[in-house]
Coordinates of all heavy atoms in Angstrom, one line a residue:
M239 N 43.4 68.0 148.5 CA 43.2 69.4 148.2 C 44.0 70.3 149.2 O 44.1 69.9 150.4 CB 41.7 69.7 148.4 CG 41.4 71.2 148.2 SD 39.7 71.7 148.4 CE 39.0 71.0 146.9
I240 N 44.4 71.4 148.7 CA 45.2 72.4 149.5 C 44.2 73.0 150.5 O 43.1 73.4 150.2 CB 45.8 73.5 148.7 CG1 46.8 72.9 147.7 CG2 46.4 74.6 149.5 CD1 47.3 73.8 146.6
K241 N 44.7 73.1 151.8 CA 43.9 73.8 152.8 C 44.7 75.0 153.3 O 45.9 74.9 153.6 CB 43.6 72.9 154.0 CG 42.6 71.9 153.7 CD 42.2 71.1 155.0 CE 41.1 70.1 154.7 NZ 40.7 69.5 155.9
L242 N 44.1 76.2 153.2 CA 44.7 77.4 153.7 C 44.0 77.9 154.9 O 42.8 78.1 154.9 CB 44.6 78.5 152.6 CG 45.3 79.8 152.9 CD1 46.8 79.6 153.2 CD2 45.0 80.8 151.8
Y243 N 44.8 78.0 156.0 CA 44.2 78.4 157.3 C 44.5 79.8 157.5 O 45.6 80.3 157.4 CB 44.8 77.6 158.4 CG 44.5 76.1 158.4 CD1 45.1 75.2 157.5 CD2 43.5 75.6 159.2 CE1 44.8 73.9 157.4 CE2 43.2 74.2 159.2 CZ 43.8 73.4 158.3 OH 43.5 72.1 158.2
G244 N 43.4 80.6 157.8 CA 43.5 82.0 158.1 C 42.2 82.7 157.8 O 41.2 82.1 157.9
S245 N 42.3 84.0 157.4 CA 41.1 84.7 157.1 C 41.5 85.8 156.0 O 42.7 86.1 155.9 CB 40.5 85.4 158.3 OG 41.4 86.5 158.7
P246 N 40.5 86.3 155.3 CA 40.8 87.3 154.3 C 41.4 88.5 154.8 O 42.1 89.3 154.2 CB 39.5 87.5 153.6 CG 38.7 86.3 153.8 CD 39.2 85.8 155.2
A247 N 41.2 88.8 156.1 CA 41.8 90.0 156.8 C 43.2 89.7 157.3 O 43.7 90.6 158.0 CB 40.8 90.4 157.9
S248 N 43.8 88.6 157.0 CA 45.2 88.3 157.4 C 46.1 88.3 156.2 O 45.7 88.5 155.1 CB 45.2 87.0 158.1 OG 45.1 85.9 157.2
R249 N 47.4 88.1 156.5 CA 48.3 88.0 155.4 C 48.0 86.8 154.5 O 48.6 86.6 153.4 CB 49.7 87.9 155.9 CG 50.2 89.2 156.5 CD 51.6 89.2 157.0 NE 51.9 90.5 157.5 CZ 52.9 90.8 158.3 NH1 53.6 89.8 158.8 NH2 53.1 92.0 158.7
G250 N 47.1 85.9 154.9 CA 46.7 84.8 154.1 C 46.1 85.3 152.8 O 46.0 84.5 151.8
L251 N 45.7 86.6 152.7 CA 45.1 87.1 151.5 C 46.1 87.0 150.3 O 45.7 86.6 149.2 CB 44.7 88.6 151.7 CG 44.0 89.2 150.5 CD1 42.7 88.5 150.1 CD2 43.8 90.7 150.8
R252 N 47.4 87.2 150.5 CA 48.3 87.1 149.4 C 48.4 85.6 149.0 O 48.7 85.4 147.8 CB 49.7 87.6 149.8 CG 50.4 87.0 151.0 CD 51.7 87.6 151.3 NE 51.5 88.9 151.9 CZ 52.4 89.5 152.6 NH1 53.6 89.0 152.8 NH2 52.2 90.7 153.2
N253 N 48.2 84.7 149.9 CA 48.2 83.2 149.5 C 47.0 82.9 148.7 O 47.1 82.1 147.7 CB 48.4 82.4 150.7 CG 49.6 82.7 151.6 OD1 49.5 82.8 152.8 ND2 50.7 82.9 151.0
M254 N 45.8 83.4 149.1 CA 44.6 83.2 148.4 C 44.8 83.8 147.0 O 44.3 83.1 146.0 CB 43.4 83.9 149.1 CG 43.0 83.2 150.3 SD 41.6 84.0 151.1 CE 42.2 84.5 152.6
W255 N 45.4 84.9 146.8 CA 45.6 85.5 145.5 C 46.4 84.6 144.6 O 46.1 84.3 143.5 CB 46.3 86.9 145.7 CG 46.9 87.4 144.4 CD1 46.2 88.0 143.4 CD2 48.2 87.2 143.9 NE1 47.0 88.3 142.3 CE2 48.2 87.8 142.6 CE3 49.3 86.7 144.4 CZ2 49.4 87.9 141.9 CZ3 50.5 86.7 143.6 CH2 50.5 87.3 142.4
A256 N 47.5 84.0 145.2 CA 48.4 83.1 144.4 C 47.6 81.9 144.0 O 47.7 81.4 142.8 CB 49.6 82.7 145.2
L257 N 46.8 81.3 144.9 CA 46.0 80.1 144.6 C 45.0 80.4 143.5 O 44.8 79.6 142.6 CB 45.4 79.6 145.8 CG 46.3 79.0 146.9 CD1 45.7 78.8 148.2 CD2 46.9 77.7 146.4
E258 N 44.4 81.6 143.6 CA 43.4 82.0 142.6 C 44.0 82.2 141.3 O 43.4 81.8 140.2 CB 42.6 83.3 143.1 CG 41.6 83.0 144.2 CD 40.4 82.3 143.8 OE1 40.0 82.3 142.6 OE2 39.8 81.6 144.7
E259 N 45.1 82.9 141.2 CA 45.8 83.2 140.0 C 46.1 81.9 139.2 O 46.1 81.9 138.0 CB 47.1 84.0 140.2 CG 46.9 85.5 140.4 CD 46.4 86.2 139.2 OE1 47.0 85.9 138.0 OE2 45.5 87.0 139.3
L260 N 46.5 80.9 139.9 CA 46.8 79.6 139.3 C 45.6 78.7 139.1 O 45.8 77.7 138.5 CB 47.9 78.9 140.2 CG 49.2 79.6 140.2 CD1 50.1 78.9 141.2 CD2 49.9 79.5 138.8
G261 N 44.5 79.1 139.6 CA 43.3 78.3 139.4 C 43.3 77.0 140.1 O 42.7 76.0 139.7
L262 N 44.0 77.0 141.2 CA 44.1 75.8 142.0 C 42.9 75.6 142.9 O 42.4 76.6 143.5 CB 45.4 75.8 142.9 CG 46.7 75.8 142.1 CD1 47.9 76.1 143.0 CD2 46.9 74.5 141.3
P263 N 42.4 74.4 143.1 CA 41.4 74.1 144.0 C 42.0 74.2 145.4 O 43.0 73.6 145.7 CB 40.9 72.7 143.7 CG 42.0 72.1 143.0 CD 42.8 73.1 142.3
Y264 N 41.3 74.9 146.3 CA 41.7 75.0 147.7 C 40.5 75.2 148.6 O 39.5 75.6 148.1 CB 42.8 76.0 147.9 CG 42.3 77.5 147.7 CD1 41.9 78.3 148.8 CD2 42.1 78.0 146.4 CE1 41.5 79.5 148.6 CE2 41.7 79.3 146.2 CZ 41.3 80.1 147.3 OH 40.9 81.3 147.1
E265 N 40.7 74.9 149.9 CA 39.7 75.2 150.9 C 40.3 76.2 151.9 O 41.4 76.0 152.3 CB 39.4 73.9 151.6 CG 38.4 74.0 152.7 CD 38.2 72.7 153.5 OE1 38.7 71.6 153.0 OE2 37.7 72.8 154.6
I266 N 39.5 77.2 152.2 CA 39.9 78.1 153.3 C 39.3 77.6 154.6 O 38.1 77.4 154.7 CB 39.4 79.5 153.0 CG1 40.1 80.1 151.8 CG2 39.6 80.4 154.2 CD1 39.6 81.5 151.4
V267 N 40.1 77.5 155.6 CA 39.7 77.1 156.9 C 39.9 78.4 157.7 O 41.0 78.8 158.0 CB 40.5 75.9 157.5 CG1 40.0 75.6 158.9 CG2 40.4 74.7 156.6
R268 N 38.8 78.9 158.1 CA 38.8 80.2 158.9 C 39.4 80.0 160.3 O 39.0 79.2 161.1 CB 37.4 80.8 159.0 CG 36.9 81.4 157.7 CD 35.8 82.3 158.0 NE 35.4 83.1 156.8 CZ 35.9 84.3 156.5 NH1 36.7 84.9 157.3 NH2 35.5 84.9 155.4
V269 N 40.5 80.8 160.5 CA 41.1 80.8 161.8 C 41.2 82.3 162.2 O 41.9 83.1 161.6 CB 42.6 80.2 161.7 CG1 43.3 80.4 163.1 CG2 42.5 78.8 161.3
I270 N 40.4 82.6 163.2 CA 40.3 84.0 163.6 C 41.0 84.2 165.0 O 40.4 83.7 166.0 CB 38.9 84.5 163.6 CG1 38.3 84.3 162.2 CG2 38.7 85.9 164.1 CD1 36.9 84.6 162.0
P271 N 42.2 84.8 165.0 CA 42.9 84.9 166.3 C 42.1 85.5 167.4 O 42.2 85.1 168.6 CB 44.1 85.7 165.9 CG 44.4 85.4 164.5 CD 43.0 85.3 163.9
K272 N 41.3 86.6 167.2 CA 40.6 87.2 168.3 C 39.6 86.3 168.9 O 39.2 86.5 170.0 CB 40.0 88.5 167.8 CG 38.8 88.4 166.9 CD 38.2 89.8 166.6 CE 36.9 89.6 165.8 NZ 36.3 90.9 165.5
N273 N 39.2 85.2 168.2 CA 38.3 84.2 168.8 C 39.1 83.1 169.5 O 38.5 82.2 170.0 CB 37.4 83.6 167.7 CG 36.5 84.6 167.1 OD1 36.2 85.7 167.7 ND2 35.9 84.3 166.0
G274 N 40.4 83.1 169.4 CA 41.2 82.1 170.0 C 41.4 80.8 169.1 O 42.0 79.8 169.5
D275 N 41.0 80.9 167.9 CA 41.0 79.8 166.9 C 42.5 79.3 166.7 O 42.7 78.1 166.4 CB 40.4 80.1 165.6 CG 39.0 80.5 165.6 OD1 38.3 80.2 166.7 OD2 38.5 81.1 164.6
H276 N 43.4 80.2 166.9 CA 44.8 79.9 166.6 C 45.5 79.1 167.8 O 46.7 78.7 167.7 CB 45.6 81.1 166.3 CG 45.7 82.1 167.4 ND1 44.6 82.6 168.1 CD2 46.8 82.7 168.0 CE1 45.0 83.4 169.0 NE2 46.3 83.5 169.0
K277 N 44.8 79.0 168.8 CA 45.3 78.3 170.0 C 44.7 76.9 170.3 O 45.0 76.3 171.3 CB 45.2 79.1 171.3 CG 45.9 80.4 171.2 CD 47.4 80.2 171.2 CE 48.2 81.5 171.2 NZ 49.6 81.4 171.0
T278 N 43.9 76.5 169.3 CA 43.2 75.1 169.5 C 44.3 74.0 169.3 O 45.2 74.2 168.5 CB 42.1 74.9 168.5 OG1 42.6 74.9 167.2 CG2 41.0 76.0 168.7
P279 N 44.1 72.9 169.9 CA 45.1 71.8 169.6 C 45.1 71.4 168.2 O 46.2 71.1 167.7 CB 44.5 70.7 170.5 CG 43.7 71.3 171.6 CD 43.1 72.6 170.9
E280 N 44.0 71.5 167.5 CA 44.0 71.1 166.0 C 44.8 72.0 165.2 O 45.6 71.6 164.4 CB 42.5 71.1 165.5 CG 41.6 70.1 166.1 CD 41.0 70.5 167.5 OE1 41.1 71.7 167.8 OE2 40.5 69.6 168.2
F281 N 44.7 73.4 165.5 CA 45.5 74.3 164.7 C 47.0 74.2 165.1 O 47.9 74.3 164.3 CB 45.0 75.7 164.8 CG 45.8 76.7 163.9 CD1 45.7 76.6 162.6 CD2 46.7 77.6 164.5 CE1 46.4 77.5 161.7 CE2 47.4 78.4 163.7 CZ 47.2 78.4 162.3
L282 N 47.3 74.1 166.4 CA 48.6 74.0 166.9 C 49.4 72.8 166.3 O 50.6 72.8 166.2 CB 48.7 74.1 168.4 CG 48.3 75.4 169.0 CD1 48.2 75.3 170.5 CD2 49.2 76.5 168.6
A283 N 48.6 71.7 166.0 CA 49.2 70.6 165.3 C 49.7 70.9 163.9 O 50.7 70.3 163.4 CB 48.2 69.4 165.3
I284 N 49.1 71.9 163.3 CA 49.5 72.4 162.0 C 50.6 73.4 162.1 O 51.6 73.3 161.4 CB 48.3 72.9 161.2 CG1 47.3 71.8 161.0 CG2 48.7 73.6 159.9 CD1 45.9 72.3 160.6
N285 N 50.5 74.4 163.0 CA 51.5 75.4 163.2 C 51.7 75.6 164.7 O 50.9 76.3 165.3 CB 51.0 76.7 162.5 CG 52.1 77.8 162.7 OD1 53.1 77.6 163.3 ND2 51.8 78.9 162.1
P286 N 52.7 75.0 165.3 CA 52.9 75.1 166.7 C 53.1 76.5 167.2 O 52.9 76.8 168.4 CB 54.2 74.3 166.9 CG 54.2 73.3 165.8 CD 53.6 74.1 164.6
A287 N 53.5 77.5 166.3 CA 53.6 78.9 166.7 C 52.3 79.5 166.9 O 52.2 80.6 167.4 CB 54.5 79.6 165.7
G288 N 51.2 78.9 166.3 CA 49.9 79.5 166.5 C 49.6 80.7 165.7 O 48.8 81.6 166.1
K289 N 50.3 80.9 164.5 CA 50.2 82.1 163.7 C 49.5 81.7 162.4 O 49.6 80.6 161.9 CB 51.5 82.7 163.4 CG 52.2 83.2 164.7 CD 53.5 83.9 164.4 CE 54.1 84.5 165.6 NZ 55.3 85.2 165.4
V290 N 48.7 82.7 161.8 CA 48.2 82.5 160.5 C 48.9 83.4 159.5 O 49.5 84.4 159.9 CB 46.6 82.8 160.5 CG1 45.9 81.8 161.3 CG2 46.4 84.3 161.0
P291 N 49.0 83.0 158.3 CA 48.3 81.8 157.7 C 49.2 80.6 157.9 O 50.3 80.6 158.2 CB 48.3 82.2 156.2 CG 49.5 83.1 156.0 CD 49.6 83.9 157.3
A292 N 48.5 79.5 157.6 CA 49.2 78.2 157.5 C 48.6 77.4 156.3 O 47.5 77.7 155.9 CB 49.0 77.4 158.8
L293 N 49.4 76.5 155.8 CA 48.9 75.8 154.6 C 49.2 74.3 154.8 O 50.3 73.9 155.4 CB 49.7 76.3 153.4 CG 49.4 75.5 152.1 CD1 49.1 76.5 151.0 CD2 50.5 74.7 151.6
V294 N 48.3 73.5 154.4 CA 48.5 72.0 154.4 C 48.2 71.6 152.9 O 47.2 71.8 152.4 CB 47.5 71.3 155.4 CG1 47.7 69.8 155.2 CG2 47.8 71.7 156.8
D295 N 49.2 70.9 152.4 CA 49.1 70.3 151.0 C 49.6 68.9 151.1 O 50.8 68.7 151.0 CB 49.9 71.2 150.0 CG 49.7 70.7 148.6 OD1 48.8 69.9 148.3 OD2 50.5 71.1 147.7
G296 N 48.7 67.9 151.3 CA 49.2 66.6 151.5 C 49.9 66.5 152.8 O 49.4 66.8 153.8
D297 N 51.2 66.0 152.7 CA 52.0 65.9 153.8 C 52.8 67.2 154.2 O 53.5 67.2 155.2 CB 53.1 64.8 153.6 CG 52.4 63.4 153.5 OD1 51.3 63.2 154.1 OD2 53.0 62.5 152.9
V298 N 52.7 68.2 153.4 CA 53.4 69.4 153.6 C 52.5 70.3 154.5 O 51.4 70.6 154.2 CB 53.6 70.2 152.2 CG1 54.2 71.5 152.5 CG2 54.5 69.3 151.3
K299 N 53.2 70.8 155.5 CA 52.6 71.8 156.4 C 53.5 73.0 156.5 O 54.7 72.8 156.8 CB 52.4 71.2 157.9 CG 51.4 70.1 157.9 CD 51.3 69.5 159.3 CE 50.3 68.4 159.4 NZ 50.3 67.8 160.7
M300 N 53.0 74.2 156.3 CA 53.8 75.4 156.3 C 53.1 76.5 157.0 O 51.9 76.6 157.1 CB 54.1 75.8 154.8 CG 54.5 74.8 153.9 SD 55.0 75.6 152.3 CE 56.5 76.4 152.9
S301 N 53.9 77.5 157.3 CA 53.4 78.8 157.8 C 54.2 79.9 157.2 O 55.2 79.6 156.4 CB 53.5 78.8 159.3 OG 54.8 78.7 159.8
E302 N 53.9 81.1 157.5 CA 54.6 82.3 157.0 C 54.1 82.5 155.5 O 54.4 81.7 154.6 CB 56.1 82.3 157.0 CG 56.6 82.1 158.4 CD 56.3 83.3 159.3 OE1 56.1 84.4 158.9 OE2 56.2 83.1 160.6
S303 N 53.4 83.6 155.3 CA 52.8 83.9 154.0 C 53.8 83.9 152.8 O 53.5 83.4 151.7 CB 52.0 85.2 154.0 OG 52.8 86.3 154.2
L304 N 55.0 84.5 153.0 CA 56.0 84.5 151.9 C 56.5 83.1 151.6 O 56.5 82.7 150.4 CB 57.1 85.4 152.2 CG 58.2 85.5 151.1 CD1 57.6 85.9 149.8 CD2 59.3 86.4 151.5
A305 N 56.8 82.3 152.6 CA 57.2 80.9 152.4 C 56.1 80.1 151.7 O 56.4 79.3 150.8 CB 57.6 80.3 153.7
I306 N 54.9 80.4 152.1 CA 53.8 79.7 151.4 C 53.7 80.0 149.9 O 53.5 79.2 149.1 CB 52.4 80.0 152.1 CG1 52.4 79.3 153.5 CG2 51.2 79.5 151.3 CD1 51.3 79.7 154.4
N307 N 53.8 81.3 149.6 CA 53.8 81.8 148.2 C 54.9 81.2 147.4 O 54.8 80.8 146.3 CB 53.7 83.3 148.1 CG 52.3 83.8 148.1 OD1 51.3 83.0 148.3 ND2 52.1 85.1 147.9
L308 N 56.1 81.1 148.0 CA 57.3 80.5 147.3 C 57.0 79.0 147.0 O 57.2 78.6 145.9 CB 58.5 80.7 148.2 CG 59.1 82.1 148.2 CD1 60.2 82.1 149.2 CD2 59.6 82.5 146.9
Y309 N 56.4 78.3 148.0 CA 56.0 76.9 147.8 C 55.0 76.8 146.7 O 55.2 76.0 145.8 CB 55.5 76.3 149.1 CG 54.9 75.0 148.9 CD1 55.7 73.8 148.8 CD2 53.5 74.9 148.8 CE1 55.1 72.6 148.6 CE2 52.9 73.6 148.7 CZ 53.7 72.5 148.6 OH 53.1 71.2 148.4
I310 N 54.0 77.6 146.7 CA 52.9 77.6 145.7 C 53.5 77.8 144.3 O 53.3 77.1 143.3 CB 51.8 78.6 146.0 CG1 51.0 78.1 147.2 CG2 50.8 78.7 144.8 CD1 50.1 79.2 147.8
G311 N 54.4 78.9 144.2 CA 55.0 79.2 142.9 C 55.9 78.1 142.4 O 55.8 77.7 141.3
Q312 N 56.8 77.6 143.3 CA 57.7 76.5 142.9 C 57.0 75.2 142.6 O 57.4 74.5 141.7 CB 58.8 76.3 144.0 CG 59.7 77.5 144.1 CD 60.6 77.3 145.3 OE1 60.4 76.6 146.2 NE2 61.8 78.0 145.2
T313 N 55.9 74.9 143.3 CA 55.3 73.6 143.1 C 54.2 73.6 142.0 O 54.2 72.7 141.2 CB 54.6 73.2 144.4 OG1 55.6 73.2 145.5 CG2 54.0 71.8 144.4
Y314 N 53.5 74.7 141.9 CA 52.4 74.7 140.9 C 52.5 75.8 139.9 O 51.7 75.8 138.9 CB 51.1 74.9 141.7 CG 50.8 73.8 142.7 CD1 50.9 74.0 144.0 CD2 50.3 72.6 142.2 CE1 50.7 73.0 144.9 CE2 50.1 71.5 143.1 CZ 50.2 71.8 144.5 OH 50.0 70.8 145.4
G315 N 53.4 76.8 140.0 CA 53.4 77.9 139.2 C 54.5 78.0 138.1 O 54.7 79.1 137.6
Q316 N 55.1 76.9 137.8 CA 56.2 77.0 136.8 C 55.7 77.5 135.5 O 54.7 77.0 135.0 CB 56.8 75.6 136.6 CG 57.5 75.0 137.8 CD 58.8 75.7 138.2 OE1 59.5 76.0 137.3 NE2 59.0 75.9 139.5
G317 N 56.3 78.6 135.0 CA 55.9 79.2 133.8 C 54.7 80.1 133.9 O 54.3 80.7 132.9
K318 N 54.2 80.2 135.1 CA 53.0 81.1 135.3 C 53.4 82.2 136.3 O 53.7 83.3 136.0 CB 51.8 80.3 135.8 CG 51.4 79.2 134.8 CD 50.3 78.3 135.4 CE 50.0 77.2 134.4 NZ 49.2 76.2 135.0
L319 N 53.4 81.8 137.6 CA 53.8 82.8 138.7 C 55.3 82.7 138.9 O 55.9 83.5 139.6 CB 53.1 82.5 140.0 CG 51.6 82.9 140.0 CD1 51.1 82.6 141.4 CD2 51.4 84.4 139.7
W320 N 55.9 81.6 138.4 CA 57.3 81.3 138.8 C 58.0 81.0 137.4 O 57.5 80.3 136.6 CB 57.4 80.1 139.7 CG 58.6 79.9 140.4 CD1 59.6 79.0 140.0 CD2 59.1 80.5 141.6 NE1 60.7 79.1 140.9 CE2 60.4 80.0 141.9 CE3 58.5 81.5 142.4 CZ2 61.1 80.4 143.0 CZ3 59.3 81.9 143.5 CH2 60.5 81.4 143.7
P321 N 59.3 81.5 137.2 CA 59.9 81.2 136.0 C 60.1 79.7 135.8 O 60.3 78.9 136.7 CB 61.3 81.8 136.2 CG 61.1 82.8 137.2 CD 60.1 82.3 138.1
A322 N 60.0 79.3 134.5 CA 60.0 77.8 134.2 C 61.5 77.4 134.0 O 62.3 78.1 133.5 CB 59.3 77.6 132.8
G323 N 61.8 76.2 134.6 CA 63.1 75.6 134.4 C 64.3 76.5 134.6 O 64.5 77.2 135.5
D324 N 65.2 76.4 133.6 CA 66.5 77.1 133.6 C 66.4 78.6 133.4 O 67.3 79.4 133.4 CB 67.5 76.5 132.6 CG 67.9 75.1 133.0 OD1 67.9 74.8 134.2 OD2 68.3 74.4 132.1
D325 N 65.2 79.1 133.1 CA 65.0 80.5 132.9 C 65.1 81.4 134.1 O 65.0 82.6 134.1 CB 63.6 80.8 132.2 CG 63.5 80.2 130.9 OD1 64.5 79.9 130.2 OD2 62.3 80.0 130.4
A326 N 65.2 80.7 135.3 CA 65.2 81.4 136.6 C 66.6 81.9 136.9 O 67.3 81.4 137.7 CB 64.7 80.5 137.7
H327 N 67.1 82.9 136.2 CA 68.5 83.5 136.4 C 68.4 84.8 137.0 O 67.6 85.6 136.7 CB 69.3 83.5 135.2 CG 69.6 82.1 134.6 ND1 70.6 81.3 135.1 CD2 69.0 81.4 133.7 CE1 70.6 80.2 134.5 NE2 69.7 80.2 133.6

């Protein structure tokens, strides 16, 4: 299952939107920077820069909300959020 690290008050909201639009199952793992959650060893193992949002999908670990949305679109959104096949001109 996809895990999205962040909070609705972060740029992770745009990633949640993409996941919801595609109807993908995912888990939100709350990471609240003002609580220091982004500096824990567990989170730094996912994103060494300590920034939210971050995404884990199997062996894939990513950060940066736009890069995450591009990954979601290319991986799961063909013909939905992302143009299908050769139509991407």
Side-chain angles (χ1 to χ4, degrees):
M239 175 181 289
I240 296 170
K241 288 187 177 185
L242 181 63
Y243 293 79
S245 71
S248 73
R249 290 186 177 156
L251 181 61
R252 63 180 71 163
N253 306 131
M254 288 182 241
W255 167 81
L257 293 164
E258 287 289 332
E259 279 292 315
L260 292 172
L262 295 171
Y264 67 98
E265 174 186 348
I266 295 178
V267 180
R268 286 195 171 268
V269 176
I270 303 176
K272 72 177 184 179
N273 295 345
D275 299 345
H276 64 306
K277 297 295 183 185
T278 65
E280 295 81 15
F281 185 71
L282 292 173
I284 294 163
N285 184 358
K289 295 183 179 184
V290 294
L293 178 131
V294 175
D295 184 18
D297 293 334
V298 174
K299 294 179 183 176
M300 313 189 68
S301 60
E302 301 297 331
S303 63
L304 180 56
I306 291 170
N307 271 5
L308 288 171
Y309 169 78
I310 292 168
Q312 290 173 338
T313 305
Y314 299 105
Q316 295 291 320
K318 297 174 186 168
L319 290 180
W320 197 260
D324 292 335
D325 295 340
H327 294 279

